[in-house]
Amino acid sequence: MKASEINIKWKQLQQKISVEFDSDTPDIKVMLFLIGIQELGKGPKKYSKRQKEELMHIATCRLLSEMGFYELEGLDQDGWPHWKLVKTVPNYTLLEQEMLMKSLIIEYF
């Protein structure tokens, strides 16, 4: 996808999520948090700050697994997924990172 196409689809996705959750326009962190909750599979509940960070990490690994960078190792005793790095992630610029994450989030939803 071209950057312009990603940005158009990103805005559409933000609008859709905003309406569905009756909330402000979500940024990338909010989208990662939502994906993390989905991947954890325990539904919405109160999470600590550390757990929220872990949920965003789960989401990032899940998204990057689509490109072969991470692989699911399994679940721990509490049912939290653990991922292992299988291929080094290139050193993208901040803009490239943002566009990559947006495109992967769009594909996820």
Side-chain angles (χ1 to χ4, degrees):
M1 266 190 281
K2 293 181 191 172
S4 59
E5 187 180 349
I6 291 169
N7 285 325
I8 290 168
K9 289 185 177 194
W10 178 253
K11 292 283 186 205
Q12 292 169 342
L13 178 60
Q14 284 180 307
Q15 180 64 29
K16 179 181 176 187
I17 298 295
S18 179
V19 169
E20 283 184 26
F21 287 91
D22 191 27
S23 66
D24 295 335
T25 304
D27 61 10
I28 288 178
K29 288 181 180 182
V30 171
M31 297 289 206
L32 290 174
F33 178 69
L34 292 174
I35 293 169
I37 289 173
Q38 177 67 29
E39 291 299 312
L40 181 59
K42 296 186 184 282
K45 65 176 201 165
K46 193 79 170 162
Y47 293 99
S48 69
K49 182 179 179 182
R50 179 182 161 107
Q51 288 174 322
K52 288 176 184 176
E53 291 169 351
E54 289 172 0
L55 287 166
M56 289 190 288
H57 176 71
I58 288 168
T60 301
C61 292
R62 166 62 178 80
L63 293 173
L64 291 174
S65 74
E66 292 298 316
M67 297 179 70
F69 294 117
Y70 283 89
E71 187 176 277
L72 182 63
E73 279 188 306
L75 305 177
D76 66 16
Q77 66 275 10
D78 297 322
W80 286 67
H82 288 269
W83 298 83
K84 73 176 179 181
L85 182 65
V86 292
K87 186 169 80 172
T88 304
V89 181
N91 289 326
Y92 295 116
T93 65
L94 286 177
L95 181 59
E96 289 170 334
Q97 288 176 36
E98 181 179 327
M99 296 308 286
L100 174 63
M101 293 310 292
K102 283 181 178 180
S103 67
L104 291 170
I105 290 168
I106 290 164
E107 291 299 318
Y108 182 89
F109 283 101

